[in-house]
Amino acid sequence: GVIPTVATNAIIPSGTPHDPNVLTGTYSTKGLSVASGATVTLSTSTSLKMRGNLANNGSIKGSGSLIMNGTTAQTMSGTGSINYFELNNSAGASIDSGALQTIGNTLTMTAGILATGDSLVLNSDSSGTARVAALPSSGASISGKVKVNQYMTGGRRAYRFWAHPFTSSIPLSQLTNYIDISGPGGAANGFTTTASNQPSSYWYNTYAGNSSIPYDPGWRQFANAYATPDSNEFKQYEGIRIYYRGKKGEGLGFATYTPSPTVISQWGTLNQGNQDIPLHRGTSTLQDYTMVGNPYPSPVDIGTVVFNAAAAGRINGAYFWIWNPFLGVAGQFQATAYTTGGSTPEAIPYYIQANDAVQVRTLHDGDLLNFTESNKSATISSAYSFMKSGKEFVSLYVYDTNYHPYDMFYVRFDSAATDAEDVRFDGGKPSGADFNFYSWSSDHHKLSVDARPFRQDAIIPLGVTSGYAQDFIIRAENLAVPDGGKVYLHDKLLNKVVLLQQGTEYKFSITADKNTQGDNRFELGMQHDAITTTTEVRNATVTMCPNPTSDIVSINFAFTQKSKVSINITDITGVSVYAADLGNKASGKATISMGNFASGIYMVEVSSGNEKVVQKLVKE
């Protein structure tokens, strides 16, 4: 019936009718014992400081911190969980080897050594992933192994970039405990046996790469999942690509299913302090992509890291590449800017999650990408921010006929740029995805972001490659051209020229005929020449405001005739999340509340009779 003091050992038994809730403020206790089934809630802005030992078999939850700040070594025992834990004791603390303490949100090291006894877990679930906050420059560290969990979202069978935060290599067999990874030899080599034993995990060898062809030979399959001391190791700092089918046992046959989410665990000794990751470049200019893994068990600001490397003359181009599993059939590279450019460039922060990786382009073999503890963050950049192309671009997106996005290409007209690849302006196009849409620079480099001056006689060659024979749509999502300027899309195979306007859509097919794809199918021109123009006129108009929106969006529409109007909104996976019939109208307005919708990209289809308009809506 009293509030504990620094001289009190507090015991929270199981079966209590009211679990303690520690309100805002700073409180102290000597020791704390939380029995199995019991809960202690630390409210926001609460600190519970301990001078003694912790016996935790229950749950210490809430957004307040449990702080060990004794003057002699402290211990932790039991099997329990703590949301926020801080060690501020220069004498250190240790976890009993028979214990298992799980961090639910943040582990903060202020002073002292935390000896894990190989019994510490960083948890991950649908609500978030635990992290180790930035360590001070000295006086605090973690010794022993840590199990690092990562929640994998379900819903999509696709490739994912992957990394680990440990000081040494780990075998792929750590992952195969939780997901199926197939490979040559099947079970004999530690993989899941399938009918074909086709590989589903790859590492990248820059020195064998060739970014000019659709399927870059630099991607090398893992041939063994065991702890083999060779190229089959999952190395420190290495980013890899794995195919996620869902939880273990799913997706091995040919039945239709929806991949389930699951949690993958990895374990090892954590990287701590500044980390210098080697960058690679081969002898050819087409061998400059390097896979880089997040070295920390925490989100990290990769945008600032790459910006600093570029300022030191180590990075080629103005972009790095994330992997977006929601594009195409099995995922797609997405160019992401790290600099504002201009005469006084600044970094554009971008936060990737723990166990994630990116691709960068290297100027010199052996250069370093420098990470510091200060690059850690508690936030992650939105997975959908890539869809918000700047207003300064001509933005061409490729969809399938269900308006699922496959790829996108950007052109920015800038008099300071050239037709060749420019380190300060352009973004390359990595190879290895199943669908690719890109331009060619004058010095023969594939680009996903192409900056060049606007000239009336200019021609920009475009390439398209696909592993799938089907129909696609090129849509002009944004059109930024100089006053009076025009841009035409030329389908060289069908001898058609389309004047691009905001929202223009051009439908094309890729078939078994090799001429329907490749580097000679499309080009962009700045003037109409002798080819007959086939302009797709969109008589029906739809506008949405605001877009992006955080809540209410107003949809204004006008069609050529009065007919039944309907609105259907789908998420990025094609699932309908809203539908409404508005009656017989030629024009009108619909107001929709998006407040309860998850943040992301939605496709809004407004139809009337045989007229239909589909537009992208971003919910922030």
Side-chain angles (χ1 to χ4, degrees):
V2 297
I3 296 176
T5 68
V6 70
T8 307
N9 288 315
I11 300 173
I12 313 300
S14 59
T16 53
H18 302 288
D19 287 319
N21 186 356
V22 186
L23 302 179
T24 301
T26 300
Y27 301 90
S28 298
T29 179
K30 183 179 180 182
L32 178 62
S33 177
V34 183
S36 176
T39 298
V40 177
T41 300
L42 305 180
S43 300
T44 304
S45 302
T46 294
S47 296
L48 179 58
K49 297 182 176 181
M50 293 182 54
R51 291 298 184 101
N53 299 325
L54 173 68
N56 180 28
N57 286 289
S59 174
I60 302 174
K61 62 180 186 179
S63 54
S65 296
L66 177 69
I67 304 173
M68 278 190 165
N69 69 330
T71 55
T72 60
Q74 294 172 271
T75 64
M76 303 170 67
S77 61
T79 301
S81 62
I82 309 169
N83 249 15
Y84 292 83
F85 175 74
E86 177 182 346
L87 178 62
N88 188 9
N89 179 357
S90 58
S94 61
I95 303 175
D96 289 352
S97 58
L100 189 65
Q101 293 296 311
T102 299
I103 304 299
N105 192 291
T106 304
L107 170 61
T108 301
M109 299 294 299
T110 302
I113 298 174
L114 176 61
T116 68
D118 299 346
S119 301
L120 180 66
V121 178
L122 298 180
N123 192 46
S124 182
D125 54 33
S126 60
S127 62
T129 298
R131 71 186 190 98
V132 177
L135 275 64
S137 57
S138 62
S141 62
I142 301 167
S143 67
K145 293 182 178 180
V146 177
K147 178 179 281 188
V148 177
N149 292 346
Q150 180 62 57
Y151 177 84
M152 299 283 281
T153 56
R156 194 127 209 280
R157 179 185 170 108
Y159 281 102
R160 314 287 177 103
F161 276 2
W162 193 259
H164 69 73
F166 305 126
T167 60
S168 59
S169 300
I170 65 173
L172 274 183
S173 57
Q174 285 197 10
L175 278 64
T176 58
N177 288 318
Y178 308 95
I179 60 173
D180 289 299
I181 299 179
S182 55
N189 288 324
F191 298 115
T192 298
T193 298
T194 62
S196 64
N197 284 335
Q198 288 295 310
S200 65
S201 59
Y202 299 86
W203 59 283
Y204 190 74
N205 182 352
T206 301
Y207 306 111
N210 184 345
S211 59
S212 70
I213 58 180
Y215 299 101
D216 191 334
W219 287 106
R220 299 300 179 91
Q221 66 185 39
F222 281 92
N224 197 305
Y226 295 126
T228 306
D230 57 17
S231 61
N232 289 303
E233 289 182 307
F234 184 7
K235 297 180 178 62
Q236 182 190 29
Y237 305 143
E238 183 176 48
I240 67 173
R241 192 168 54 141
I242 58 174
Y243 195 58
Y244 181 66
R245 298 177 170 94
K247 67 182 181 181
K248 198 168 180 67
E250 286 187 336
L252 297 178
F254 299 97
T256 301
Y257 77 108
T258 300
S260 302
T262 194
V263 175
I264 296 175
S265 295
Q266 303 174 113
W267 53 93
T269 302
L270 297 178
N271 294 318
Q272 299 172 73
N274 296 346
Q275 304 293 315
D276 298 328
I277 297 182
L279 299 174
H280 310 297
R281 184 184 176 99
T283 56
S284 165
T285 59
L286 302 173
Q287 296 174 329
D288 59 353
Y289 285 93
T290 299
M291 285 287 288
V292 176
N294 180 354
Y296 297 123
S298 168
V300 69
D301 179 6
I302 190 66
T304 297
V305 170
V306 176
F307 175 85
N308 293 335
R314 302 171 185 173
I315 293 296
N316 186 17
Y319 298 81
F320 61 91
W321 289 265
I322 62 173
W323 181 263
N324 184 341
F326 295 99
L327 289 177
V329 173
Q332 177 62 272
F333 295 99
Q334 181 56 49
T336 306
Y338 63 80
T339 177
T340 57
S343 58
T344 55
E346 297 180 358
I348 300 177
Y350 189 93
Y351 304 95
I352 59 171
Q353 65 183 345
N355 306 308
D356 201 356
V358 300
Q359 275 200 351
V360 298
R361 296 181 68 193
T362 308
L363 279 172
H364 313 101
D365 190 44
D367 276 344
L368 299 175
L369 200 61
N370 307 120
F371 289 79
T372 67
E373 289 281 344
S374 63
N375 296 132
K376 288 180 177 178
S377 172
T379 63
I380 301 173
S381 294
S382 169
Y384 301 100
S385 60
F386 70 92
M387 297 292 280
K388 300 178 184 179
S389 60
K391 294 182 179 179
E392 71 274 19
F393 291 100
V394 173
S395 305
L396 301 182
Y397 284 51
V398 180
Y399 298 92
D400 63 17
T401 54
N402 293 318
Y403 287 90
H404 173 76
Y406 268 63
D407 204 355
M408 56 280 297
F409 166 71
Y410 305 108
V411 178
R412 181 162 65 90
F413 294 112
D414 191 325
S415 59
T418 69
D419 290 354
E421 183 181 20
D422 297 293
V423 172
R424 293 184 300 136
F425 300 106
D426 294 329
K429 182 66 176 179
S431 296
D434 50 27
F435 186 95
N436 296 283
F437 187 48
Y438 49 89
S439 71
W440 282 105
S441 66
S442 61
D443 52 348
H444 204 67
H445 287 278
K446 290 194 305 184
L447 302 177
S448 57
V449 184
D450 191 342
R452 57 178 72 200
F454 184 90
R455 301 191 312 273
Q456 289 294 338
D457 61 345
I459 294 293
I460 303 176
L462 302 179
V464 59
T465 63
S466 174
Y468 307 94
Q470 62 184 63
D471 295 335
F472 293 98
I473 299 168
I474 297 175
R475 176 181 167 84
E477 295 282 358
N478 194 65
L479 205 68
V481 294
D483 290 343
K486 294 181 179 181
V487 177
Y488 297 88
L489 176 68
H490 179 197
D491 185 337
K492 299 168 72 175
L493 176 67
L494 302 182
N495 199 30
K496 289 185 177 181
V497 175
V498 177
L499 173 62
L500 295 182
Q501 298 174 325
Q502 195 82 21
T504 297
E505 295 182 358
Y506 180 76
K507 297 180 180 179
F508 70 100
S509 298
I510 289 180
T511 68
D513 182 353
K514 65 180 182 180
N515 294 315
T516 60
Q517 59 177 297
D519 298 329
N520 202 40
R521 176 74 195 259
F522 295 107
E523 64 184 11
L524 293 178
M526 307 306 128
Q527 65 181 4
H528 179 267
D529 50 22
I531 303 173
T532 303
T533 303
T534 305
T535 302
E536 292 195 359
V537 180
R538 299 184 61 84
N539 294 317
T541 60
V542 171
T543 59
M544 297 186 294
C545 184
N547 187 12
T549 182
S550 59
D551 189 1
I552 300 297
V553 60
S554 295
I555 302 175
N556 295 277
F557 56 88
F559 292 96
T560 58
Q561 59 185 358
K562 186 176 182 180
S563 187
K564 181 180 178 181
V565 177
S566 63
I567 294 178
N568 185 42
I569 302 178
T570 59
D571 64 17
I572 200 168
T573 66
V575 176
S576 178
V577 295
Y578 177 89
D581 291 329
L582 306 182
N584 291 327
K585 298 180 179 180
S587 62
K589 174 181 177 181
T591 301
I592 300 173
S593 174
M594 303 283 289
N596 293 327
F597 286 47
S599 298
I601 302 298
Y602 295 88
M603 303 307 298
V604 179
E605 177 185 297
V606 185
S607 59
S608 173
N610 59 1
E611 296 179 282
K612 179 176 70 173
V613 177
V614 180
Q615 292 190 7
K616 177 187 68 182
L617 174 63
V618 178
K619 167 62 168 55
E620 295 182 323

